[in-house]
Amino acid sequence: QLQLQESGPGLVKPSETLSLTCTVSGGSISSGFYYWGWIRQPPGKGLEWIGSIYYSGSTYSNPSLKSRVTISADTSKNQFSLNLSSLTAADTAVYYCARHDEGATHFHYWGQGTLVTVSS
Amino acid sequence: DIQMTQSPSTLSASVGDRVTITCRASQSISSWLAWYQQKPGKAPKLLIYKASSLESGVPSRFSGSGSGTEFTLTINSLQPDDFATYYCQQYNSYLWTFGQGTKVEIK
């Protein structure tokens, strides 16, 4: 069974860069034709897609966040990562990593999520 | 960008009710629509994909329909475990967008 686990700091200061890692077990991020994505959810609010990376390394980002988002993958560690720069309080959210389905049309497997608070 | 609008935002219902949630896209997305259920403190769970395909293991009381710009999620005979928030999500040209959510509450 595929499992995803987010890791990273729970508290980050404004203007700094958030770095999160998603560790995948039960499957390889470099096998198959899958996209791997990041989604976030501010407290009490809805879901927002941040960006996704294809197994080949191609990346796609939400236009509203594009200039601040970097997604990368480390196949040797079976991990993919999110960097989000120039943080503000509005970036406080639970951050989820997920795997798309083979057709990339939806999110099939999700991590449990990690809360990131942006505060000085 | 394609916007997704769900209605209603909140829905009060009783066990055994038939519940319908609507999701409208700002432009045609063919059938590239999914539905998720989310409970407090948990990750979303996939229920329906490609507008009407039931995810493995999801009870058959959940069903989805629609194409183009208008879609519905129906829950037949609402069960206590179904009280949660439901989100639609579209895919189009390497962009993925969620609706704002519909909270199904106990009446």
Side-chain angles (χ1 to χ4, degrees):
Chain A
Q1 176 76 349
L2 191 75
Q3 292 188 323
L4 299 90
Q5 178 68 59
E6 305 87 353
S7 59
L11 179 64
V12 191
K13 290 182 169 53
S15 79
E16 293 188 341
T17 295
L18 170 66
S19 294
L20 293 176
T21 296
C22 183
T23 300
V24 179
S25 58
S28 170
I29 66 169
S30 57
S31 68
F33 301 97
Y34 295 110
Y35 287 77
W36 304 84
W38 290 96
I39 301 102
R40 70 180 183 177
Q41 184 171 38
K45 296 188 178 180
L47 300 162
E48 179 182 35
W49 170 70
I50 301 170
S52 297
I53 185 167
Y54 194 39
Y55 82 103
S56 64
S58 301
T59 59
Y60 304 90
S61 302
N62 189 321
S64 68
L65 300 169
K66 191 169 187 175
S67 62
R68 300 197 291 133
V69 170
T70 303
I71 298 175
S72 60
D74 185 338
T75 56
S76 68
K77 294 181 179 179
N78 216 31
Q79 296 174 333
F80 62 104
S81 298
L82 168 70
N83 278 6
L84 182 65
S85 63
S86 304
L87 293 173
T88 70
D91 295 308
T92 294
V94 174
Y95 286 75
Y96 295 100
C97 61
R99 195 197 80 179
H100 294 253
D101 66 301
E102 282 191 357
T105 63
H106 56 271
F107 301 95
H108 202 179
Y109 295 96
W110 295 68
Q112 64 185 27
T114 187
L115 174 63
V116 175
T117 302
V118 180
S119 175
S120 54
Chain B
D1 298 357
I2 296 177
Q3 308 300 319
M4 305 302 293
T5 304
Q6 282 183 239
S7 60
S9 297
T10 306
L11 188 160
S12 296
S14 302
V15 172
D17 284 353
R18 184 172 187 255
V19 166
T20 298
I21 299 169
T22 298
C23 183
R24 289 186 174 87
S26 59
Q27 65 188 70
S28 178
I29 56 171
S30 185
S31 295
W32 301 125
L33 186 101
W35 290 97
Y36 302 83
Q37 177 193 68
Q38 187 180 34
K39 296 182 179 179
K42 300 294 187 181
K45 172 188 173 184
L46 179 67
L47 299 175
I48 302 283
Y49 61 96
K50 210 158 60 175
S52 61
S53 296
L54 190 67
E55 171 67 359
S56 176
V58 174
S60 59
R61 63 181 179 271
F62 291 92
S63 64
S65 65
S67 66
T69 62
E70 187 151 338
F71 302 85
T72 59
L73 172 70
T74 299
I75 311 172
N76 283 304
S77 188
L78 196 68
Q79 297 300 300
D81 191 49
D82 301 338
F83 292 97
T85 300
Y86 294 84
Y87 293 93
C88 62
Q89 169 255 309
Q90 69 84 27
Y91 164 72
N92 180 265
S93 299
Y94 301 105
L95 293 174
W96 294 265
T97 312
F98 292 89
Q100 81 277 18
T102 296
K103 184 175 183 179
V104 177
E105 297 181 327
I106 301 174
K107 193 170 185 179

